[in-house]
Amino acid sequence: MRPAYVLFCVFTAAACRSGGSRTSHVEAPRAVLEPPAFGAETIDDMLRTEWASRGIVPAGRSDDPTFLRRVYLDVVGRIPTLEEIRAAMLDTSPDRRARIIDDLLASPAYADRWTDYWDDVLLGDYVRPNVVDRAGFRAFLHARLASQTPWNRLVFDLVTATGVNRQGGPEPTGRDEAAPFGATHAAVNWILKYQNNPADMAGSVSRTFLGVRIQCAQCHDHKTEDWKQRDYQSFASCFAGTRTVRLDSESGGGRAPRIAVLDAHRRKPSAAREPELVEILRAPPTALDGTDLSDTANPREAVAAWITSAQNPWFAKAIVNRLWGELLGRGFVDPIDDFRVSNPALAPAVMERLAAEFVARGYDLRYLIGTICRTEAYQKSSEPALPYQVEPAFWSRFPLKPLRPEVLLDSLAVATDLDELLTGTKDGDLAKAKAQLRKQFQATFDVDEESHAASYEGTIPQALMFMNGRPLDRATHAGRQGALLKVLSMTGSDEEKVDNLFLRTLSRPAKPEETKRILPRLAQRGTSRLDAFEDVMWALLNSSEFAFNH
Amino acid sequence: MKRANDEIDRRHLLKLGLSAGPALFVSSLLAARPAHAKGAVLRPAKARACVWIWLNGGPSHVDTFDPKPGAPGGGPFKPIKTRAAGVEICQHLPRLADRASDFALIRSMTSREGNHDRAGYLVRSGYAPTPTLQHPSLGAWAAEELDVRGLELPAFVSIGGPSMGAGFLGASYAPFVVRNLGRPIDNVELPRGVDTSRFQRRQDILTELESGFAAQTGDRKVHARQSVYANAARLMSSPALRAFDLASEPASLQAAYGDHDFGRGCLMARRLVEAGVRFVEVTLDGWDTHKDNFSRTKKLMDVLDEGASALFRDLRERDLLESTLVLMAGEFGRTPKINHDEGRDHHPQAWSAVLGGGGIRGGQVYGKTDQDGAQVIEHPVTIADFLATAANLLGIDPDKWVFTPVGRPISLTDHGRPIAALLADS
């Protein structure tokens, strides 16, 4: 059996075991007993046909170091370490790429990276620490991702979440006031983001999990699509019974108050003030395909079951499209969360096939990521085959993807042995220093409300931070610790040292022409050798090749 | 971007052995206006720079610039006379009333977008948001179109933020956002142990690496990033950085602008304009008054009145007002009807905007709303017309077509026409 298949069976079995009280609403993940007839090769065949029929000459295959860096960045959110690169270089077996993919998906770092991703998608820049317990929410995501919770299950749990948002709160005053609201369930923090606004919650659920921007119909009937304002209101109506209850007073000993989320009776339309909310309360709770949910005991739970059912026309496609877009730079549907008739998908057959397979495999996110990483498209070089085919049309070459801030920071940490550099500094506690760095990175990279990928190409403050800021300055000082010191204390020629620096930062050895240019700089008059090495390190960390996944 | 640099960039691209793709993109940005362009653009431009006071949230026009005393939803505020004959504005804007000859008031702004995000995008860019294309804001257009040769500061600065990006024009035209007025720019100083010559050596190594990667991938993103780096490096050594430092301003002038971030932002805007920055956005947030409209709007008017009137006066006293266009607008107006919470809700159908300074005939009102302020009854002004007027004064041709990355031709204002009645005689 192929390793991938074994891995898959393990995941599926684990997924089946992780059932809970609400499994009845969720399509039970099915174990597939037959070896897969579908695989990355199926996608390759389909895309080759697309390329041929459009006269696209696809780029060649990426080389091993490039692929290694790419898949590390995408699957575990950082560049490979020197040791990992060396280990991978020793493997010459034909299926070495598949093995790397599987190893990374099985590593604990997988959940770290995708927690960052989903935290960013779900909570985003939303910062109201007094309402949302972000750390708790991240812990929830991390646990679910690490335990291979199937996607349908995870979404169902998120959309239906009830309970108390965080543990603790002020000292109990005799009896536990939270008791009637159920146990602590950090998933509710996502619900709290919407501040009891069913319209916002509905818009977000639809856009994030179904790829449908129903909220465009919030203000007017959609001009080109079938969506009417009424559809939007009826969908939002499913969330109109969700309530929040503050359990502690605001100033409870300086700690953030606990807030409970529960499903209550819907208010009467006449009780609402905002005209928009009146309309939503008047509308019968209805799924986007018109399924009437007004007779259900709990419309929020009913709509969650509808969203995550195998019959839902968007649910599987939306996540397939999202992850395809995350890994390959462009979804079949672009933007990734805008499915509509007037925005047709590229290669829709590939998307549909992959979505069907994803459902058959029990909504296993790792299966999906692993399959995409195995495709020829994902393993293409970023160098265009023909100089005028620069646009990566139909994924015929790998695009340049700017690293997300947290990925950039974690990669910087790997390249420079930042942990060593930070310990023993006046910042003291390593975790604290890293958290502070992370905050600084996020603030600098947060350009505007809608931080689009395009913004990551860089802004002046970002460039200034990288050129002169403390993290880089520290990383490029050949002090008592860190990567640069290790390189300098290596035995071997300068050529080998330069190669080592390139491997640590760009995950590849220096090219001959690069070495030829750099060596004389190390022996330049008027510059200390140490300074010269620091300068090379500085340039590598500031380079576009470092800043992009390519 | 300045033309000269466009040329350099294009040559640069070709020198790097790049494909025709990006080179074609750049050259299409340079494409001349099509023959059928309407409304000749003003040459030379009347205004060198623009300050847009962005009233985030959408101020109530009825309570500010379009008073409706006696109307059922007219609210408690009284109108006062202004320097402009027959023009009255709210009693809580007395200093602006005194400067009314510096600006024109449009009372007939009208649009259809009643959602903050969508309307904010529309008013700043001239287009309703579409999922398929990210449009640049007027500020980004200005940064791209205007001649900024020799300018070491960012061409487009946004004070207070958040602002809007440069859309398809790319990150190099995006606003430089100043969030913390006390410390506007971090990391402009070289780290310890790095002098300018060493910094230059670092840059040289970096340039070599970048050239290799750019040639290999042929990707526009590498060039965009390189140009951001070049601008950042230029900024570091620039004496112009002093423009961000308010400390050298006399205490009396600082006091005149008001002891609040908005006032300080206005003062910084004046310093930036003086230093050659072409577009400054100063945000005054908080106008989304669904509850408690009157007390909140009054507080905001006090702040606006102080900062904006000081800006007009200061620009005037330095002979900068004639060359600086000052805009005041948010994403929409607010309902003439007062809701249960003593608030007013979103009202894009009819609202007010201010244009002052460079090339504007001040002391006048353009357009009119009905007795409640609910509908425009005279000279409706669309967002496109508003932006076309501003662009025209800045010497930007609102009809110029550029091609988006997917090859779709697009103009700045989607056929907006400059409003002749607002323009000063030339």
Side-chain angles (χ1 to χ4, degrees):
Chain A
M1 264 196 300
R2 303 198 349 229
Y5 180 61
V6 177
L7 203 64
F8 156 70
C9 290
V10 172
F11 289 161
T12 314
C16 291
R17 279 196 303 274
S18 68
S21 57
R22 277 181 178 136
T23 5
S24 58
H25 292 284
V26 183
E27 187 75 0
R30 290 192 296 266
V32 177
L33 299 175
E34 291 301 312
F38 173 91
E41 311 76 35
T42 322
I43 298 174
D44 296 341
D45 288 342
M46 292 168 99
L47 282 182
R48 275 188 216 122
T49 312
E50 292 280 358
W51 294 331
S53 72
R54 282 160 210 277
I56 297 170
V57 181
R61 188 172 148 97
S62 57
D63 58 23
D64 278 351
T66 305
F67 172 76
L68 188 71
R69 182 179 191 271
R70 181 183 299 170
V71 76
Y72 262 81
L73 286 167
D74 277 334
V75 179
V76 294
R78 60 166 176 84
I79 55 171
T81 64
L82 195 60
E83 293 70 33
E84 287 163 339
I85 296 171
R86 287 195 172 133
M89 277 173 163
L90 293 175
D91 188 349
T92 52
S93 59
D95 64 343
R96 56 190 184 274
R97 292 195 178 188
R99 227 186 332 247
I100 289 164
I101 296 167
D102 291 338
D103 285 352
L104 291 176
L105 285 169
S107 79
Y110 159 85
D112 300 344
R113 136 80 166 146
W114 291 93
T115 296
D116 283 341
Y117 175 82
W118 287 110
D119 175 28
D120 191 35
V121 170
L122 294 170
L123 288 186
D125 292 338
Y126 183 85
V127 193
R128 282 187 65 187
N130 241 15
V131 177
V132 166
D133 175 14
R134 188 163 212 142
F137 185 67
R138 286 178 60 91
F140 161 82
L141 285 175
H142 194 276
R144 296 304 165 105
L145 291 165
S147 65
Q148 302 141 31
T149 307
W151 177 241
N152 55 344
R153 173 87 217 170
L154 178 53
V155 172
F156 184 84
D157 286 355
L158 272 170
V159 175
T160 59
T162 60
V164 181
N165 71 327
R166 72 178 89 219
Q167 291 181 320
E171 291 307 308
T173 55
R175 65 190 179 89
D176 185 2
E177 303 194 355
F181 301 103
T184 306
H185 186 24
V188 300
N189 284 294
W190 178 64
I191 308 238
L192 289 175
K193 175 184 172 186
Y194 302 103
Q195 302 173 51
N196 284 329
N197 183 335
D200 288 351
M201 170 121 191
S204 180
V205 163
S206 162
R207 181 168 160 170
T208 312
F209 302 128
L210 300 176
V212 177
R213 295 190 179 187
I214 182 79
Q215 80 270 26
C216 295
Q218 183 165 0
C219 313
H220 45 74
D221 290 350
H222 211 293
K223 287 188 196 89
T224 51
E225 308 300 319
D226 288 340
W227 302 119
K228 298 282 177 269
Q229 211 172 347
R230 195 73 191 152
D231 297 325
Y232 177 66
Q233 289 157 352
S234 306
F235 186 65
S237 179
C238 301
F239 302 95
T242 306
R243 286 276 168 285
T244 59
V245 180
R246 195 173 282 267
L247 302 178
D248 308 309
S249 67
E250 192 76 50
S251 54
R255 299 167 77 171
R258 289 167 303 166
I259 306 173
V261 171
L262 63 152
D263 290 309
H265 288 296
R266 299 153 60 83
R267 277 187 284 170
K268 290 200 175 72
S270 55
R273 280 177 182 171
E274 303 86 344
E276 194 189 25
L277 189 55
V278 173
E279 290 306 315
I280 289 172
L281 289 167
R282 273 196 195 131
T286 312
L288 287 181
D289 65 350
T291 308
D292 186 352
L293 304 173
S294 41
D295 285 339
T296 55
N298 182 341
R300 177 152 67 108
E301 209 168 288
V303 82
W306 172 79
I307 288 169
T308 54
S309 92
Q311 282 73 47
N312 188 294
W314 296 287
F315 181 63
K317 278 191 273 186
I319 183 71
V320 164
N321 188 56
R322 173 180 286 277
L323 293 185
W324 184 275
E326 172 67 14
L327 295 169
L328 278 155
R330 189 205 190 277
F332 302 99
V333 172
D334 180 63
I336 50 161
D337 49 10
D338 194 18
F339 281 66
R340 61 195 150 83
V341 181
S342 53
N343 185 29
L346 295 182
V350 178
M351 176 172 68
E352 275 154 30
R353 191 70 212 274
L354 192 51
E357 208 59 30
F358 172 66
V359 173
R361 306 288 186 129
Y363 297 89
D364 183 350
L365 291 172
R366 296 194 207 208
Y367 164 77
L368 184 54
I369 295 168
T371 305
I372 296 172
C373 289
R374 281 174 159 75
T375 60
E376 186 185 329
Y378 183 80
Q379 300 192 12
K380 285 283 178 214
S381 165
S382 57
E383 193 171 342
L386 300 169
Y388 52 85
Q389 276 187 0
V390 175
E391 283 304 308
F394 279 84
W395 312 282
S396 56
R397 80 167 174 95
F398 197 79
L400 262 54
K401 301 191 297 175
L403 303 187
R404 291 170 176 273
E406 64 275 4
V407 175
L408 187 57
L409 177 59
D410 288 346
S411 299
L412 189 66
V414 168
T416 62
D417 288 335
L418 192 67
D419 285 10
E420 283 180 18
L421 292 166
L422 288 177
T423 36
T425 64
K426 63 182 173 199
D427 292 306
D429 184 10
L430 175 65
K432 218 164 115 187
K434 278 186 102 168
Q436 205 189 343
L437 254 183
R438 186 172 279 260
K439 222 162 130 186
Q440 192 186 338
F441 254 67
Q442 273 159 353
T444 310
F445 280 75
D446 170 26
V447 186
D448 49 37
E449 274 175 328
E450 303 247 308
S451 292
H452 302 292
S455 325
Y456 296 142
E457 277 160 31
T459 63
I460 289 175
Q462 287 166 24
L464 289 172
M465 181 182 172
F466 255 74
M467 289 195 293
N468 307 324
R470 260 172 58 95
L472 255 288
D473 183 39
R474 198 179 277 159
T476 52
H477 256 301
R480 280 170 312 186
Q481 275 164 322
L484 201 51
L485 180 74
K486 283 181 199 149
V487 173
L488 285 165
S489 30
M490 273 171 59
T491 53
S493 64
D494 277 359
E495 211 170 324
E496 285 168 276
K497 288 179 179 146
V498 169
D499 265 351
N500 192 294
L501 271 188
F502 270 73
L503 280 172
R504 283 173 186 273
T505 50
L506 305 183
S507 317
R508 64 167 174 89
K511 293 173 193 161
E513 65 269 25
E514 287 167 336
T515 313
K516 214 176 97 192
R517 286 211 188 92
I518 285 170
L519 285 180
R521 291 184 182 280
L522 300 175
Q524 210 164 17
R525 280 164 62 98
T527 310
S528 85
R529 217 174 112 74
L530 193 70
D531 283 3
F533 266 102
E534 288 180 357
D535 294 346
V536 173
M537 183 71 155
W538 180 94
L540 287 166
L541 295 173
N542 272 285
S543 69
S544 294
E545 194 174 340
F546 185 74
F548 288 104
N549 191 357
H550 53 86
Chain B
M1 194 195 284
K2 50 226 155 182
R3 311 251 170 238
N5 256 24
D6 270 341
E7 290 301 328
I8 288 163
D9 273 7
R10 181 154 44 159
R11 265 183 271 133
H12 192 54
L13 299 181
L14 296 171
K15 196 173 72 189
L16 291 171
L18 277 175
S19 64
L24 278 178
F25 174 70
V26 172
S27 60
S28 50
L29 276 177
L30 292 171
R33 302 152 52 202
H36 62 272
K38 301 166 222 154
V41 62
L42 293 172
R43 300 271 188 217
K46 287 286 183 180
R48 274 195 84 251
C50 177
V51 178
W52 187 327
I53 294 174
W54 177 256
L55 306 172
N56 201 49
S60 159
H61 55 296
V62 169
D63 298 315
T64 55
F65 293 106
D66 194 6
K68 299 290 176 185
F77 303 147
K78 307 227 166 354
I80 51 167
K81 288 191 174 18
T82 68
R83 276 284 152 131
V87 178
E88 299 194 333
I89 61 175
C90 177
Q91 65 183 114
H92 298 301
L93 297 168
R95 301 179 189 88
L96 276 172
D98 199 39
R99 303 228 60 97
S101 49
D102 286 341
F103 58 81
L105 191 50
I106 301 178
R107 283 182 175 155
S108 51
M109 296 295 297
T110 183
S111 96
R112 282 190 208 144
E113 294 291 350
N115 164 291
H116 289 289
D117 295 342
R118 296 180 59 83
Y121 185 103
L122 170 70
V123 176
R124 282 189 272 219
S125 73
Y127 289 83
T130 77
T132 47
L133 184 65
Q134 286 169 27
H135 300 89
S137 65
L138 178 62
W141 276 101
E144 193 267 336
E145 287 280 312
L146 298 181
D147 182 353
V148 289
R149 266 171 294 186
L151 177 64
E152 290 173 331
L153 294 171
F156 175 16
V157 177
S158 169
I159 302 170
S163 186
M164 186 179 153
F168 66 78
L169 290 181
S172 26
Y173 307 109
F176 180 89
V177 180
V178 174
R179 287 242 167 80
N180 180 349
L181 288 157
R183 226 182 50 183
I185 314 182
D186 285 322
N187 303 321
V188 277
E189 273 156 40
L190 286 171
R192 219 160 8 117
V194 180
D195 58 14
T196 46
S197 65
R198 185 168 176 201
F199 184 64
Q200 189 53 52
R201 286 199 295 278
R202 291 181 163 195
Q203 300 252 54
D204 292 345
I205 308 173
L206 179 59
T207 306
E208 287 167 12
L209 289 171
E210 292 300 84
S211 307
F213 192 60
Q216 183 189 321
T217 59
D219 203 301
R220 201 159 51 81
K221 289 177 189 159
V222 181
H223 300 288
R225 192 171 175 279
Q226 275 180 291
S227 113
V228 170
Y229 259 73
N231 290 340
R234 227 163 23 143
L235 182 63
M236 285 166 53
S237 56
S238 171
L241 274 178
R242 282 197 300 268
F244 287 99
D245 181 12
L246 305 181
S248 60
E249 293 288 339
S252 57
L253 188 66
Q254 294 191 42
Y257 274 90
D259 186 16
H260 34 74
D261 274 350
F262 175 70
R264 285 182 278 275
C266 286
L267 177 54
M268 190 180 282
R270 191 225 78 211
R271 289 182 64 84
L272 291 171
V273 165
E274 225 169 11
V277 173
R278 308 308 294 271
F279 202 100
V280 186
E281 188 177 72
V282 187
T283 298
L284 179 59
D285 194 9
W287 299 93
D288 192 23
T289 50
H290 290 284
K291 289 178 187 163
D292 240 348
N293 168 68
F294 301 105
S295 65
R296 287 166 65 193
T297 301
K298 181 192 171 300
K299 274 189 203 138
L300 284 164
M301 279 193 282
D302 292 342
V303 169
L304 175 68
D305 191 45
E306 198 168 31
S309 65
L311 177 65
F312 275 118
R313 196 177 59 198
D314 200 8
L315 287 170
R316 170 71 77 196
E317 285 171 0
R318 285 162 197 266
D319 284 331
L320 283 170
L321 190 59
E322 290 311 312
S323 60
T324 308
L325 175 66
V326 180
L327 308 176
M328 253 188 264
E331 54 266 51
F332 36 60
R334 307 199 78 81
T335 46
K337 190 169 175 262
I338 301 165
N339 67 25
H340 303 296
D341 289 324
E342 286 290 291
R344 295 188 192 269
D345 303 317
H346 303 174
H347 192 72
Q349 293 88 337
W351 46 289
S352 303
V354 167
L355 297 93
I360 291 288
R361 186 159 62 82
Q364 62 161 329
V365 168
Y366 184 79
K368 199 172 172 181
T369 53
D370 60 16
Q371 55 191 4
D372 297 312
Q375 299 298 332
V376 171
I377 55 171
E378 197 182 284
H379 301 316
V381 176
T382 63
I383 304 299
D385 294 343
F386 176 75
L387 292 175
T389 309
N392 199 45
L393 288 168
L394 286 165
I396 302 170
D397 183 349
D399 281 331
K400 179 175 146 178
W401 288 23
V402 299
F403 288 88
T404 67
V406 292
R408 184 163 129 198
I410 199 164
S411 73
L412 189 159
T413 63
D414 202 8
H415 303 100
R417 307 299 310 273
I419 300 157
L422 292 175
L423 306 181
D425 305 325
S426 36

